[in-house]
Amino acid sequence: MGGYKMILSLIYKVVTAVLAPVIYQKIRFSAKGNAYGERINELLGNIPEKDYHSPVWFHTVSVGETMGALPLIKKFHERWPDKHIVVTTSTPTGAALYKNLSYVEHHYAPLDSPIAVKKFTEKLKPSALIIMETELWPNLLQELESQDVPVYLINARLSERSASRYAMLKSTFNTLIGDKLKMLICQTVDDRNNFEKLGIPPNKLSISGSLKFDIDVNPEKIALGKKFKKLFPEKKILCVASTHQGEDEIALDIFKEVKNSIPNLLLLLIPRHPERFESVFNLAKAAGFNTARKTDPEISQNTDVIIGNTMGEMPIYLSASTLVLMAGSLVDIGGHNPLEAIAVNTPVISGPHVRNFKKIFHDLVNNQASIVAENSELPHIIETLLNNEQDIEKLKRNAQNVLNSNRGAIDKTLNLLEECGK
Protein backbone atom coordinates (compact mmCIF):
# COMPACT_ATOMS: atom_id res chain seq x y z
CA MET A 1 0.00 0.00 0.00
CA GLY A 2 2.89 2.35 0.75
CA GLY A 3 4.28 1.80 -2.75
CA TYR A 4 0.85 2.49 -4.26
CA LYS A 5 0.63 5.79 -2.42
CA MET A 6 4.07 6.87 -3.57
CA ILE A 7 3.29 6.01 -7.20
CA LEU A 8 -0.04 7.83 -7.03
CA SER A 9 1.58 10.93 -5.57
CA LEU A 10 4.37 10.85 -8.13
CA ILE A 11 1.96 10.57 -11.06
CA TYR A 12 -0.01 13.58 -9.80
CA LYS A 13 3.18 15.62 -9.34
CA VAL A 14 4.43 14.87 -12.85
CA VAL A 15 1.08 15.62 -14.51
CA THR A 16 0.59 18.92 -12.68
CA ALA A 17 4.20 20.00 -13.24
CA VAL A 18 3.66 19.55 -16.99
CA LEU A 19 0.22 21.17 -17.08
CA ALA A 20 0.91 24.22 -14.87
CA PRO A 21 2.92 26.22 -17.47
CA VAL A 22 0.27 25.45 -20.08
CA ILE A 23 -2.56 26.61 -17.81
CA TYR A 24 -0.58 29.71 -16.85
CA GLN A 25 -0.05 30.69 -20.48
CA LYS A 26 -3.70 30.05 -21.28
CA ILE A 27 -4.81 32.35 -18.45
CA ARG A 28 -2.17 34.94 -19.34
CA PHE A 29 -3.40 35.33 -22.91
CA SER A 30 -7.10 35.14 -22.13
CA ALA A 31 -9.39 38.07 -21.31
CA LYS A 32 -9.33 36.95 -17.68
CA GLY A 33 -5.54 37.22 -17.68
CA ASN A 34 -5.82 40.99 -18.10
CA ALA A 35 -7.68 41.18 -14.82
CA TYR A 36 -4.70 39.72 -12.93
CA GLY A 37 -2.51 42.50 -14.30
CA GLU A 38 1.16 42.53 -13.29
CA ARG A 39 0.45 40.07 -10.48
CA ILE A 40 -0.31 37.15 -12.79
CA ASN A 41 3.13 35.67 -12.00
CA GLU A 42 1.85 34.96 -8.50
CA LEU A 43 0.08 31.97 -10.08
CA LEU A 44 3.56 30.45 -10.45
CA GLY A 45 4.40 31.15 -6.80
CA ASN A 46 6.29 34.38 -7.46
CA ILE A 47 5.42 36.54 -4.47
CA PRO A 48 7.83 39.16 -3.05
CA GLU A 49 10.78 38.03 -0.93
CA LYS A 50 10.20 39.46 2.57
CA ASP A 51 9.31 38.56 6.13
CA TYR A 52 5.59 37.70 6.25
CA HIS A 53 5.79 37.14 10.04
CA SER A 54 4.60 33.52 9.98
CA PRO A 55 1.04 34.49 9.04
CA VAL A 56 -2.20 32.61 9.21
CA TRP A 57 -3.11 31.99 5.59
CA PHE A 58 -6.78 32.07 4.56
CA HIS A 59 -7.70 30.78 1.10
CA THR A 60 -11.09 31.72 -0.40
CA VAL A 61 -11.18 30.75 -4.05
CA SER A 62 -13.62 33.34 -5.46
CA VAL A 63 -16.49 35.72 -4.65
CA GLY A 64 -18.85 33.31 -2.90
CA GLU A 65 -16.23 31.87 -0.57
CA THR A 66 -14.77 35.31 0.10
CA MET A 67 -18.15 36.77 1.06
CA GLY A 68 -18.66 33.89 3.50
CA ALA A 69 -15.18 34.23 4.99
CA LEU A 70 -14.93 38.01 5.36
CA PRO A 71 -16.85 38.27 8.67
CA LEU A 72 -14.80 35.38 10.10
CA ILE A 73 -11.50 36.98 9.06
CA LYS A 74 -12.62 40.28 10.57
CA LYS A 75 -13.42 38.64 13.91
CA PHE A 76 -10.23 36.57 13.77
CA HIS A 77 -8.30 39.84 13.50
CA GLU A 78 -10.29 41.40 16.36
CA ARG A 79 -9.61 38.39 18.62
CA TRP A 80 -5.92 38.06 17.70
CA PRO A 81 -4.85 41.53 16.44
CA ASP A 82 -1.12 40.73 16.59
CA LYS A 83 -1.40 37.75 14.26
CA HIS A 84 -0.51 38.56 10.66
CA ILE A 85 -3.04 37.48 8.04
CA VAL A 86 -2.43 36.66 4.39
CA VAL A 87 -5.38 35.86 2.13
CA THR A 88 -5.37 34.26 -1.30
CA THR A 89 -7.97 33.92 -4.00
CA SER A 90 -7.87 32.22 -7.39
CA THR A 91 -9.82 34.97 -9.15
CA PRO A 92 -9.58 38.77 -9.52
CA THR A 93 -13.27 39.07 -8.59
CA GLY A 94 -12.53 37.47 -5.23
CA ALA A 95 -9.44 39.64 -4.80
CA ALA A 96 -11.48 42.83 -5.26
CA LEU A 97 -13.41 42.12 -2.07
CA TYR A 98 -10.23 42.32 0.02
CA LYS A 99 -9.09 45.61 -1.49
CA ASN A 100 -10.08 47.83 1.45
CA LEU A 101 -9.05 45.52 4.30
CA SER A 102 -5.94 47.13 5.77
CA TYR A 103 -5.14 44.24 8.13
CA VAL A 104 -4.78 41.57 5.43
CA GLU A 105 -2.32 41.09 2.60
CA HIS A 106 -3.70 39.55 -0.58
CA HIS A 107 -1.96 37.33 -3.12
CA TYR A 108 -3.20 35.06 -5.86
CA ALA A 109 -3.00 31.39 -4.94
CA PRO A 110 -0.37 29.39 -6.79
CA LEU A 111 -1.38 26.80 -9.35
CA ASP A 112 -1.18 23.31 -7.87
CA SER A 113 2.15 22.35 -9.37
CA PRO A 114 4.96 21.12 -7.09
CA ILE A 115 7.28 23.96 -8.16
CA ALA A 116 4.74 26.78 -7.76
CA VAL A 117 3.45 25.71 -4.34
CA LYS A 118 6.98 25.14 -3.03
CA LYS A 119 8.12 28.61 -4.11
CA PHE A 120 5.00 30.21 -2.65
CA THR A 121 4.99 28.44 0.71
CA GLU A 122 8.74 28.70 1.33
CA LYS A 123 8.51 32.47 0.91
CA LEU A 124 5.30 32.85 2.91
CA LYS A 125 6.22 30.46 5.74
CA PRO A 126 2.62 30.26 7.06
CA SER A 127 1.86 29.04 10.56
CA ALA A 128 -1.44 27.53 9.35
CA LEU A 129 -3.63 27.36 6.26
CA ILE A 130 -7.40 27.81 6.62
CA ILE A 131 -9.35 26.86 3.50
CA MET A 132 -12.92 27.96 2.93
CA GLU A 133 -15.25 25.12 1.80
CA THR A 134 -13.79 22.78 -0.81
CA GLU A 135 -10.62 24.14 -2.44
CA LEU A 136 -8.29 21.19 -1.76
CA TRP A 137 -5.16 20.69 -3.86
CA PRO A 138 -2.91 17.63 -3.33
CA ASN A 139 0.48 19.22 -4.12
CA LEU A 140 -0.22 22.14 -1.82
CA LEU A 141 -1.38 19.85 0.98
CA GLN A 142 1.65 17.60 0.61
CA GLU A 143 4.07 20.52 0.60
CA LEU A 144 2.53 21.97 3.76
CA GLU A 145 2.63 18.54 5.40
CA SER A 146 6.37 18.39 4.68
CA GLN A 147 6.75 21.81 6.34
CA ASP A 148 4.64 20.71 9.34
CA VAL A 149 2.02 23.40 8.63
CA PRO A 150 -1.48 22.42 9.83
CA VAL A 151 -4.37 22.73 7.35
CA TYR A 152 -7.97 23.41 8.40
CA LEU A 153 -11.03 23.13 6.18
CA ILE A 154 -13.81 25.44 7.38
CA ASN A 155 -17.46 25.71 6.34
CA ALA A 156 -16.87 22.28 4.82
CA ARG A 157 -19.64 20.68 2.83
CA LEU A 158 -19.95 17.36 1.04
CA SER A 159 -23.18 16.25 -0.62
CA GLU A 160 -24.44 12.68 -0.59
CA ARG A 161 -23.85 12.56 -4.34
CA SER A 162 -20.23 13.70 -4.08
CA ALA A 163 -19.57 11.40 -1.14
CA SER A 164 -20.82 8.43 -3.19
CA ARG A 165 -18.49 9.35 -6.06
CA TYR A 166 -15.46 9.81 -3.81
CA ALA A 167 -16.26 6.59 -1.92
CA MET A 168 -15.22 4.61 -5.01
CA LEU A 169 -11.78 6.24 -4.64
CA LYS A 170 -11.74 6.32 -0.86
CA SER A 171 -8.11 5.27 -0.49
CA THR A 172 -6.98 7.72 -3.18
CA PHE A 173 -8.94 10.57 -1.58
CA ASN A 174 -7.33 9.99 1.80
CA THR A 175 -3.86 9.50 0.33
CA LEU A 176 -3.92 12.80 -1.56
CA ILE A 177 -6.21 14.89 0.65
CA GLY A 178 -7.90 13.49 3.76
CA ASP A 179 -4.77 12.36 5.62
CA LYS A 180 -3.23 15.82 5.27
CA LEU A 181 -6.01 17.81 6.95
CA LYS A 182 -5.79 18.55 10.66
CA MET A 183 -9.48 19.43 11.08
CA LEU A 184 -12.64 19.67 8.98
CA ILE A 185 -15.22 22.07 10.44
CA CYS A 186 -18.46 21.10 8.72
CA GLN A 187 -21.65 23.03 8.06
CA THR A 188 -24.13 20.29 9.00
CA VAL A 189 -24.42 16.84 10.55
CA ASP A 190 -25.00 15.43 7.05
CA ASP A 191 -21.73 16.96 5.82
CA ARG A 192 -19.89 15.49 8.81
CA ASN A 193 -21.38 12.05 8.20
CA ASN A 194 -20.49 12.17 4.50
CA PHE A 195 -16.85 12.98 5.28
CA GLU A 196 -16.77 10.19 7.86
CA LYS A 197 -17.98 7.74 5.18
CA LEU A 198 -14.83 8.60 3.24
CA GLY A 199 -12.69 7.49 6.14
CA ILE A 200 -11.99 10.83 7.83
CA PRO A 201 -11.49 10.01 11.55
CA PRO A 202 -14.25 11.35 13.84
CA ASN A 203 -11.69 13.24 15.95
CA LYS A 204 -10.88 15.41 12.91
CA LEU A 205 -14.54 16.36 12.32
CA SER A 206 -16.53 19.17 13.95
CA ILE A 207 -19.77 21.03 13.17
CA SER A 208 -20.14 24.81 13.22
CA GLY A 209 -23.18 25.57 11.08
CA SER A 210 -22.83 27.66 7.92
CA LEU A 211 -20.63 30.76 8.05
CA LYS A 212 -22.77 32.23 5.29
CA PHE A 213 -25.54 32.95 7.84
CA ASP A 214 -23.13 35.22 9.74
CA ILE A 215 -22.85 37.53 6.76
CA ASP A 216 -21.75 41.05 7.68
CA VAL A 217 -22.73 43.98 5.44
CA ASN A 218 -21.12 47.42 5.60
CA PRO A 219 -23.87 49.89 6.66
CA GLU A 220 -22.34 52.51 4.34
CA LYS A 221 -23.03 50.28 1.34
CA ILE A 222 -26.62 49.77 2.45
CA ALA A 223 -26.98 53.55 2.72
CA LEU A 224 -25.52 53.97 -0.76
CA GLY A 225 -28.04 51.45 -2.06
CA LYS A 226 -30.94 53.36 -0.54
CA LYS A 227 -29.53 56.58 -2.03
CA PHE A 228 -29.33 54.95 -5.46
CA LYS A 229 -32.94 53.77 -5.13
CA LYS A 230 -34.06 57.35 -4.46
CA LEU A 231 -32.86 58.29 -7.94
CA PHE A 232 -35.88 56.36 -9.24
CA PRO A 233 -38.72 57.26 -6.85
CA GLU A 234 -41.45 56.04 -9.21
CA LYS A 235 -39.73 52.77 -10.11
CA LYS A 236 -39.89 49.24 -8.81
CA ILE A 237 -36.44 47.68 -9.16
CA LEU A 238 -35.86 44.05 -10.08
CA CYS A 239 -32.25 42.93 -9.60
CA VAL A 240 -30.99 39.83 -11.39
CA ALA A 241 -27.73 39.24 -9.56
CA SER A 242 -24.55 37.41 -10.60
CA THR A 243 -25.54 36.18 -14.05
CA HIS A 244 -23.48 33.70 -16.05
CA GLN A 245 -23.28 33.10 -19.79
CA GLY A 246 -26.73 32.15 -21.09
CA GLU A 247 -28.66 33.71 -18.20
CA ASP A 248 -28.82 37.32 -19.39
CA GLU A 249 -31.09 36.44 -22.32
CA ILE A 250 -33.41 34.61 -19.93
CA ALA A 251 -33.39 37.56 -17.51
CA LEU A 252 -34.19 40.03 -20.29
CA ASP A 253 -37.08 37.84 -21.52
CA ILE A 254 -38.49 37.64 -17.99
CA PHE A 255 -38.12 41.40 -17.57
CA LYS A 256 -39.85 42.10 -20.88
CA GLU A 257 -42.82 39.93 -19.93
CA VAL A 258 -43.23 41.47 -16.47
CA LYS A 259 -42.75 45.02 -17.74
CA ASN A 260 -45.80 44.59 -19.97
CA SER A 261 -47.96 44.63 -16.83
CA ILE A 262 -45.67 46.77 -14.61
CA PRO A 263 -44.48 49.63 -16.89
CA ASN A 264 -42.52 51.38 -14.12
CA LEU A 265 -40.21 48.36 -13.66
CA LEU A 266 -36.44 48.91 -13.82
CA LEU A 267 -33.99 46.02 -14.28
CA LEU A 268 -30.63 45.96 -12.50
CA LEU A 269 -28.66 43.30 -14.37
CA ILE A 270 -25.40 42.28 -12.66
CA PRO A 271 -23.01 39.97 -14.55
CA ARG A 272 -20.92 37.72 -12.30
CA HIS A 273 -17.65 38.39 -14.14
CA PRO A 274 -16.28 41.79 -15.22
CA GLU A 275 -15.15 40.63 -18.66
CA ARG A 276 -18.85 40.22 -19.56
CA PHE A 277 -19.99 43.71 -18.53
CA GLU A 278 -19.78 45.20 -22.00
CA SER A 279 -21.24 42.22 -23.88
CA VAL A 280 -24.26 42.16 -21.55
CA PHE A 281 -24.71 45.91 -22.04
CA ASN A 282 -24.77 45.34 -25.82
CA LEU A 283 -27.14 42.40 -25.41
CA ALA A 284 -29.68 44.52 -23.50
CA LYS A 285 -29.44 47.31 -26.09
CA ALA A 286 -29.91 44.84 -28.93
CA ALA A 287 -33.03 43.55 -27.18
CA GLY A 288 -34.53 47.03 -27.62
CA PHE A 289 -34.18 48.33 -24.06
CA ASN A 290 -33.01 51.80 -23.09
CA THR A 291 -29.81 50.61 -21.41
CA ALA A 292 -27.17 52.31 -19.26
CA ARG A 293 -24.15 51.28 -17.25
CA LYS A 294 -23.98 52.00 -13.53
CA THR A 295 -20.89 54.14 -14.19
CA ASP A 296 -22.48 56.25 -16.93
CA PRO A 297 -22.49 59.93 -15.83
CA GLU A 298 -26.21 60.35 -16.38
CA ILE A 299 -28.90 57.71 -16.14
CA SER A 300 -32.28 58.80 -17.45
CA GLN A 301 -35.62 58.20 -15.75
CA ASN A 302 -36.54 56.53 -19.03
CA THR A 303 -33.81 53.91 -18.60
CA ASP A 304 -35.13 50.34 -18.70
CA VAL A 305 -31.99 48.36 -17.83
CA ILE A 306 -28.93 49.30 -15.79
CA ILE A 307 -25.87 47.06 -16.07
CA GLY A 308 -23.99 46.74 -12.79
CA ASN A 309 -20.50 47.17 -14.21
CA THR A 310 -18.60 47.69 -10.95
CA MET A 311 -16.86 45.31 -8.57
CA GLY A 312 -17.43 45.06 -4.82
CA GLU A 313 -20.78 46.87 -4.94
CA MET A 314 -23.19 43.95 -4.80
CA PRO A 315 -24.59 45.08 -1.39
CA ILE A 316 -25.38 48.46 -2.99
CA TYR A 317 -27.29 46.84 -5.85
CA LEU A 318 -29.14 44.47 -3.53
CA SER A 319 -30.08 47.28 -1.10
CA ALA A 320 -31.42 49.38 -3.96
CA SER A 321 -33.76 46.65 -5.19
CA THR A 322 -37.40 45.87 -4.54
CA LEU A 323 -36.89 42.19 -5.37
CA VAL A 324 -33.84 40.06 -6.21
CA LEU A 325 -33.72 37.10 -8.58
CA MET A 326 -30.50 35.29 -7.68
CA ALA A 327 -28.81 34.04 -10.83
CA GLY A 328 -26.54 31.05 -11.28
CA SER A 329 -29.88 29.26 -11.08
CA LEU A 330 -31.41 30.03 -14.48
CA VAL A 331 -28.96 27.66 -16.16
CA ASP A 332 -27.27 24.71 -14.46
CA ILE A 333 -24.54 26.56 -12.54
CA GLY A 334 -25.81 25.53 -9.11
CA GLY A 335 -27.07 28.85 -7.77
CA HIS A 336 -25.56 31.62 -5.65
CA ASN A 337 -25.91 32.60 -2.03
CA PRO A 338 -29.37 34.12 -1.34
CA LEU A 339 -28.28 35.32 2.10
CA GLU A 340 -26.42 38.28 0.56
CA ALA A 341 -29.79 39.79 -0.36
CA ILE A 342 -31.50 38.74 2.85
CA ALA A 343 -28.73 40.38 4.90
CA VAL A 344 -29.72 43.77 3.46
CA ASN A 345 -33.42 42.96 4.01
CA THR A 346 -34.33 42.56 0.35
CA PRO A 347 -36.53 39.57 -0.62
CA VAL A 348 -34.93 37.00 -2.91
CA ILE A 349 -36.24 34.31 -5.26
CA SER A 350 -34.42 31.84 -7.49
CA GLY A 351 -34.55 29.72 -10.60
CA PRO A 352 -34.52 25.92 -10.31
CA HIS A 353 -30.77 25.14 -10.25
CA VAL A 354 -29.71 25.65 -6.62
CA ARG A 355 -27.73 22.51 -5.76
CA ASN A 356 -24.77 24.53 -4.37
CA PHE A 357 -27.08 26.08 -1.76
CA LYS A 358 -29.60 23.26 -1.48
CA LYS A 359 -29.81 23.25 2.33
CA ILE A 360 -30.11 27.05 2.60
CA PHE A 361 -32.84 27.27 -0.04
CA HIS A 362 -34.62 24.28 1.50
CA ASP A 363 -34.78 26.08 4.86
CA LEU A 364 -35.87 29.34 3.27
CA VAL A 365 -38.62 27.79 1.14
CA ASN A 366 -39.92 25.66 4.04
CA ASN A 367 -40.22 28.81 6.13
CA GLN A 368 -41.93 30.80 3.34
CA ALA A 369 -38.88 33.04 3.19
CA SER A 370 -38.02 32.55 -0.50
CA ILE A 371 -39.36 30.95 -3.68
CA VAL A 372 -37.54 28.53 -5.99
CA ALA A 373 -39.30 28.01 -9.32
CA GLU A 374 -38.87 26.93 -12.92
CA ASN A 375 -37.84 29.68 -15.33
CA SER A 376 -41.24 29.57 -17.02
CA GLU A 377 -42.96 30.34 -13.70
CA LEU A 378 -40.75 33.27 -12.72
CA PRO A 379 -42.52 36.08 -14.66
CA HIS A 380 -45.84 35.32 -12.95
CA ILE A 381 -44.18 35.02 -9.52
CA ILE A 382 -42.29 38.30 -9.95
CA GLU A 383 -45.39 40.12 -11.17
CA THR A 384 -47.48 38.80 -8.27
CA LEU A 385 -44.89 39.80 -5.65
CA LEU A 386 -44.29 43.27 -7.07
CA ASN A 387 -48.03 43.93 -7.09
CA ASN A 388 -48.52 42.74 -3.52
CA GLU A 389 -46.61 44.62 -0.81
CA GLN A 390 -47.89 42.23 1.88
CA ASP A 391 -46.29 39.25 0.14
CA ILE A 392 -43.00 41.15 -0.19
CA GLU A 393 -43.03 42.03 3.51
CA LYS A 394 -43.86 38.44 4.47
CA LEU A 395 -40.84 37.14 2.54
CA LYS A 396 -38.62 39.76 4.18
CA ARG A 397 -39.87 39.01 7.70
CA ASN A 398 -39.58 35.25 7.35
CA ALA A 399 -36.15 35.51 5.76
CA GLN A 400 -34.85 37.60 8.66
CA ASN A 401 -36.13 34.96 11.08
CA VAL A 402 -34.27 32.20 9.21
CA LEU A 403 -31.09 34.27 9.02
CA ASN A 404 -31.09 35.18 12.70
CA SER A 405 -31.93 31.68 13.94
CA ASN A 406 -28.92 30.23 12.11
CA ARG A 407 -26.26 32.73 13.18
CA GLY A 408 -23.36 31.71 15.42
CA ALA A 409 -21.05 29.72 13.15
CA ILE A 410 -18.25 32.32 13.35
CA ASP A 411 -17.82 32.02 17.12
CA LYS A 412 -17.94 28.21 16.97
CA THR A 413 -15.35 28.18 14.19
CA LEU A 414 -13.01 30.63 15.94
CA ASN A 415 -13.12 28.55 19.11
CA LEU A 416 -12.01 25.52 17.08
CA LEU A 417 -9.22 27.59 15.48
CA GLU A 418 -7.92 28.83 18.82
CA GLU A 419 -4.37 27.55 18.38
CA CYS A 420 -4.04 29.33 15.00
CA GLY A 421 -4.26 32.69 16.77
CA LYS A 422 -1.46 31.99 19.24
Coordinates of all heavy atoms in Angstrom, one line a residue, residues 342 347-349 360-372 385 390-402:
I342 N -30.7 38.8 1.6 CA -31.5 38.7 2.9 C -30.8 39.6 3.9 O -31.5 40.3 4.7 CB -31.7 37.3 3.3 CG1 -32.6 36.6 2.4 CG2 -32.2 37.2 4.7 CD1 -32.7 35.1 2.6
P347 N -36.0 40.9 -0.3 CA -36.5 39.6 -0.6 C -35.9 39.0 -1.9 O -35.5 39.7 -2.8 CB -38.0 39.8 -0.8 CG -38.2 41.2 -1.3 CD -37.1 41.9 -0.6
V348 N -35.7 37.7 -1.8 CA -34.9 37.0 -2.9 C -35.7 35.7 -3.4 O -36.2 35.0 -2.6 CB -33.5 36.7 -2.5 CG1 -33.5 35.8 -1.3 CG2 -32.7 36.1 -3.6
I349 N -35.7 35.5 -4.7 CA -36.2 34.3 -5.3 C -35.2 33.7 -6.2 O -34.1 34.3 -6.4 CB -37.5 34.6 -6.0 CG1 -37.3 35.5 -7.2 CG2 -38.6 35.1 -5.1 CD1 -38.5 35.7 -8.1
I360 N -29.7 25.7 2.3 CA -30.1 27.0 2.6 C -31.5 27.3 1.9 O -32.4 27.8 2.6 CB -29.1 28.1 2.2 CG1 -27.8 28.0 3.1 CG2 -29.6 29.5 2.2 CD1 -26.7 28.9 2.7
F361 N -31.6 27.0 0.7 CA -32.8 27.3 0.0 C -34.0 26.4 0.5 O -35.1 26.8 0.6 CB -32.7 27.0 -1.5 CG -32.2 28.3 -2.3 CD1 -31.0 28.3 -2.8 CD2 -33.1 29.4 -2.4 CE1 -30.5 29.5 -3.5 CE2 -32.7 30.5 -3.1 CZ -31.4 30.6 -3.7
H362 N -33.6 25.2 0.9 CA -34.6 24.3 1.5 C -35.2 24.9 2.8 O -36.4 24.9 3.0 CB -34.0 22.9 1.8 CG -34.9 21.9 2.5 ND1 -35.1 21.8 3.8 CD2 -35.8 21.0 1.9 CE1 -35.9 20.9 4.1 NE2 -36.4 20.4 3.0
D363 N -34.3 25.4 3.6 CA -34.8 26.1 4.9 C -35.6 27.3 4.6 O -36.6 27.6 5.2 CB -33.6 26.4 5.8 CG -32.9 25.2 6.3 OD1 -33.5 24.1 6.2 OD2 -31.8 25.3 6.9
L364 N -35.1 28.1 3.6 CA -35.9 29.3 3.3 C -37.3 29.0 2.7 O -38.3 29.6 3.1 CB -35.1 30.2 2.3 CG -33.8 30.8 2.8 CD1 -33.0 31.4 1.6 CD2 -34.1 31.9 3.8
V365 N -37.3 28.1 1.8 CA -38.6 27.8 1.1 C -39.6 27.2 2.2 O -40.8 27.5 2.2 CB -38.4 26.8 0.0 CG1 -39.7 26.3 -0.6 CG2 -37.7 27.5 -1.2
N366 N -39.1 26.3 3.0 CA -39.9 25.7 4.0 C -40.5 26.7 5.0 O -41.5 26.4 5.7 CB -39.1 24.6 4.8 CG -39.1 23.3 4.0 OD1 -39.7 23.2 2.9 ND2 -38.5 22.3 4.6
N367 N -39.8 27.8 5.2 CA -40.2 28.8 6.1 C -40.9 30.0 5.4 O -41.0 31.1 6.0 CB -39.0 29.3 7.0 CG -38.6 28.3 8.0 OD1 -39.2 28.2 9.1 ND2 -37.6 27.5 7.7
Q368 N -41.3 29.8 4.1 CA -41.9 30.8 3.3 C -41.1 32.1 3.3 O -41.7 33.2 3.4 CB -43.3 31.1 3.9 CG -44.2 29.8 3.8 CD -45.7 30.1 4.2 OE1 -45.9 30.9 5.2 NE2 -46.6 29.5 3.6
A369 N -39.8 31.9 3.2 CA -38.9 33.0 3.2 C -38.2 33.3 1.8 O -37.5 34.2 1.6 CB -37.8 32.8 4.2
S370 N -38.5 32.4 0.9 CA -38.0 32.6 -0.5 C -38.9 31.6 -1.4 O -39.7 30.8 -0.9 CB -36.5 32.2 -0.6 OG -36.1 32.5 -1.9
I371 N -38.7 31.8 -2.7 CA -39.4 31.0 -3.7 C -38.3 30.4 -4.7 O -37.5 31.2 -5.2 CB -40.5 31.8 -4.4 CG1 -41.5 32.2 -3.4 CG2 -41.1 30.9 -5.5 CD1 -42.5 33.2 -4.0
V372 N -38.4 29.1 -4.9 CA -37.5 28.5 -6.0 C -38.5 28.0 -7.0 O -39.4 27.2 -6.7 CB -36.7 27.4 -5.4 CG1 -35.9 26.7 -6.6 CG2 -35.7 27.9 -4.4
L385 N -45.6 39.2 -6.8 CA -44.9 39.8 -5.7 C -44.8 41.3 -5.8 O -45.1 42.0 -4.8 CB -43.5 39.2 -5.5 CG -43.4 37.8 -5.0 CD1 -42.0 37.2 -5.2 CD2 -43.9 37.6 -3.6
Q390 N -47.8 43.1 0.7 CA -47.9 42.2 1.9 C -47.1 41.0 1.7 O -46.4 40.5 2.6 CB -49.4 41.9 2.1 CG -50.2 43.0 2.8 CD -51.6 42.5 3.1 OE1 -52.1 41.7 2.5 NE2 -52.1 43.1 4.2
D391 N -47.1 40.4 0.4 CA -46.3 39.2 0.1 C -44.8 39.6 0.2 O -44.0 38.7 0.7 CB -46.6 38.7 -1.3 CG -48.0 38.0 -1.3 OD1 -48.6 37.8 -0.2 OD2 -48.5 37.7 -2.4
I392 N -44.4 40.7 -0.3 CA -43.0 41.1 -0.2 C -42.6 41.2 1.3 O -41.5 40.7 1.7 CB -42.8 42.5 -0.9 CG1 -42.9 42.4 -2.4 CG2 -41.5 43.2 -0.4 CD1 -41.6 41.9 -3.1
E393 N -43.4 41.9 2.1 CA -43.0 42.0 3.5 C -43.0 40.7 4.2 O -42.1 40.5 5.1 CB -44.0 43.0 4.2 CG -43.9 44.4 3.8 CD -42.5 45.0 4.0 OE1 -42.0 44.7 5.1 OE2 -42.0 45.7 3.1
K394 N -43.9 39.8 3.9 CA -43.9 38.4 4.5 C -42.6 37.7 4.2 O -41.9 37.1 5.1 CB -45.1 37.6 4.0 CG -45.2 36.2 4.6 CD -46.4 35.5 4.0 CE -46.5 34.1 4.6 NZ -47.6 33.4 4.0
L395 N -42.1 37.8 2.9 CA -40.8 37.1 2.5 C -39.7 37.8 3.3 O -38.8 37.0 3.9 CB -40.6 37.3 1.0 CG -41.3 36.4 0.0 CD1 -40.8 36.8 -1.4 CD2 -41.0 34.9 0.3
K396 N -39.7 39.1 3.5 CA -38.6 39.8 4.2 C -38.6 39.3 5.7 O -37.5 39.0 6.2 CB -38.8 41.3 4.1 CG -38.5 41.8 2.7 CD -39.0 43.2 2.4 CE -38.2 44.2 3.2 NZ -38.6 45.6 2.8
R397 N -39.8 39.3 6.3 CA -39.9 39.0 7.7 C -39.4 37.6 8.0 O -38.7 37.3 8.9 CB -41.3 39.2 8.1 CG -41.5 39.0 9.6 CD -42.9 39.5 10.0 NE -44.0 38.8 9.3 CZ -44.7 39.3 8.3 NH1 -44.6 40.6 8.0 NH2 -45.7 38.6 7.7
N398 N -39.9 36.7 7.2 CA -39.6 35.3 7.4 C -38.1 35.0 7.1 O -37.5 34.2 7.8 CB -40.4 34.4 6.4 CG -41.9 34.3 6.9 OD1 -42.2 34.7 8.0 ND2 -42.8 33.9 6.0
A399 N -37.6 35.7 6.1 CA -36.1 35.5 5.8 C -35.2 36.0 6.9 O -34.2 35.4 7.2 CB -35.8 36.2 4.5
Q400 N -35.6 37.1 7.5 CA -34.8 37.6 8.7 C -34.9 36.6 9.8 O -33.9 36.4 10.5 CB -35.4 39.0 9.1 CG -35.1 40.1 8.2 CD -33.6 40.3 7.8 OE1 -32.8 40.4 8.7 NE2 -33.3 40.3 6.6
N401 N -36.0 36.0 10.0 CA -36.1 35.0 11.1 C -35.2 33.8 10.8 O -34.5 33.3 11.7 CB -37.6 34.5 11.2 CG -38.5 35.5 11.8 OD1 -38.0 36.5 12.5 ND2 -39.8 35.4 11.5
V402 N -35.2 33.3 9.6 CA -34.3 32.2 9.2 C -32.8 32.6 9.4 O -32.0 31.9 10.0 CB -34.5 31.7 7.8 CG1 -33.5 30.7 7.3 CG2 -35.9 31.1 7.6

